[in-house]
């Protein structure tokens, strides 16, 4: 294994471990199943921003699989819960790192998630407003070339966390069969959780970027 491969493996391992550790700290109840959402939701966008799509996929896959066994209380969809961080990290990373192509793939997923919700829960369409905003952000920022990191990172953290929520929404509707009335009560919790995911991830990602940049500068 050369130095580059070792660095890639280390990045994947570190962020997978962070996801697992933070999965042990609940922050919100999940309506519809006896489980909780955990602080690990702030790591998913960080993975998306700091790792390439391939690395993000592997880190979220390993982290999700291990967390499923280490913290079963947060596995509200059983083994399908593993797909939540994968969706947030992989699609978020594609949007952040792959320009218009990545934005197209990510917005396509969000459109699928929105459609999957509305096909059964159209009486309460307001729940997918944040997901629609995430689509607008992903598309708009894909056309901006010189966006400051202090602005770019929070917006893409929002896109990533909404991709994770989009996968959760699909399972809540089609796996658990939650009716539209349940989402009236879920909406405030969802906004609270995604605010934590967006703000927490943005602060952590910006801090890590600063540390990495400083270390790279000193190494040179």
């Amino acid at each position: 294994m050369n130095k580059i491969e070792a660095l890639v493996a280390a990045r994947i391992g570190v962020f997978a471990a962070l996801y697992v550790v933070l999965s042990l700290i609940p922050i919100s109840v999940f309506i519809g199943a006896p489980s909780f959402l955990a602080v690990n939701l702030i790591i998913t966008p960080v993975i998306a921003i700091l790792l390439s799509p391939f690395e993000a996929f592997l880190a979220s896959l390993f982290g999700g699989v291990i967390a499923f066994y280490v913290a079963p209380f947060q596995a509200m969809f059983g083994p399908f819960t593993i797909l939540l961080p994968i969706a947030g990290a992989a699609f978020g990373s594609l949007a952040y790192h792959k320009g218009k192509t990545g934005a197209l793939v990510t917005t396509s997923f969000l459109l699928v998630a929105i459609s999957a919700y509305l096909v059964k829960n159209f009486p309460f369409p307001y729940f997918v407003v944040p997901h629609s905003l995430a689509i607008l952000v992903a598309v708009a920022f894909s056309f901006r070339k010189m966006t400051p990191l202090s602005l770019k990172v929070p917006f893409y953290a929002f896109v990533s966390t909404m991709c994770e929520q989009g996968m959760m929404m699909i399972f809540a509707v089609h796996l658990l069969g939650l009716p539209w009335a349940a989402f009236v009560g879920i909406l405030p919790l969802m906004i609270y959780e995604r605010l934590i995911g967006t703000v927490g991830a943005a602060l952590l990602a910006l801090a890590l970027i600063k540390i990495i940049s400083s270390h790279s500068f000193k190494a040179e």
Side-chain angles (χ1 to χ4, degrees):
M1 181 181 292
N2 60 38
K3 187 176 180 180
I4 295 177
E5 291 174 337
L7 184 60
V8 169
R11 286 199 297 260
I12 292 171
V14 166
F15 283 102
L18 280 173
Y19 185 87
V20 173
V21 170
L22 293 182
S23 70
L24 297 170
I25 308 173
I27 60 167
S28 177
V29 297
F30 178 80
I31 297 177
S35 59
F36 296 86
L37 273 76
V39 182
N40 56 12
L41 61 83
I42 72 171
I43 294 299
T44 302
V46 176
I47 292 173
I49 291 165
L50 295 184
L51 303 187
S52 69
F54 178 69
E55 294 170 347
F57 171 78
L58 290 180
S60 57
L61 172 63
F62 296 147
V65 170
I66 297 171
F68 174 70
Y69 292 100
V70 172
F73 65 82
Q74 52 91 51
M76 67 283 292
F77 305 115
F80 292 105
T81 307
I82 296 167
L83 294 177
L84 303 187
I86 292 175
F91 288 117
S93 183
L94 283 168
Y96 187 86
H97 294 284
K98 296 301 179 180
K100 295 182 180 65
T101 301
L104 176 62
V105 175
T106 300
T107 56
S108 296
F109 167 73
L110 286 169
L111 284 171
V112 169
I114 290 171
S115 300
Y117 170 85
L118 291 176
V119 73
K120 283 197 171 184
N121 292 331
F122 60 88
F124 188 65
Y126 310 105
F127 192 82
V128 295
V129 169
H131 307 78
S132 303
L133 289 175
I135 290 175
L136 293 177
V137 169
V139 172
F141 274 77
S142 69
F143 288 93
R144 294 177 63 91
K145 300 299 182 182
M146 301 297 292
T147 306
L149 275 178
S150 59
L151 184 63
K152 182 179 181 180
V153 167
F155 275 103
Y156 276 104
F158 172 67
V159 171
S160 174
T161 198
M162 291 315 302
C163 286
E164 182 178 43
Q165 209 293 320
M167 183 63 79
M168 182 184 298
M169 182 172 66
I170 292 172
F171 290 147
V173 173
H174 295 277
L175 192 62
L176 299 183
L178 297 185
W180 69 266
F183 287 90
V184 177
I186 294 171
L187 180 58
L189 281 175
M190 186 264 278
I191 293 173
Y192 154 71
E193 294 154 4
R194 297 307 138 182
L195 278 174
I196 291 177
T198 300
V199 175
L203 292 174
L204 181 56
L206 286 170
L208 289 174
I209 289 171
K210 185 176 181 180
I211 292 170
I212 293 168
S213 299
S214 175
H215 178 74
S216 299
F217 178 76
K218 289 179 181 178
E220 292 174 358

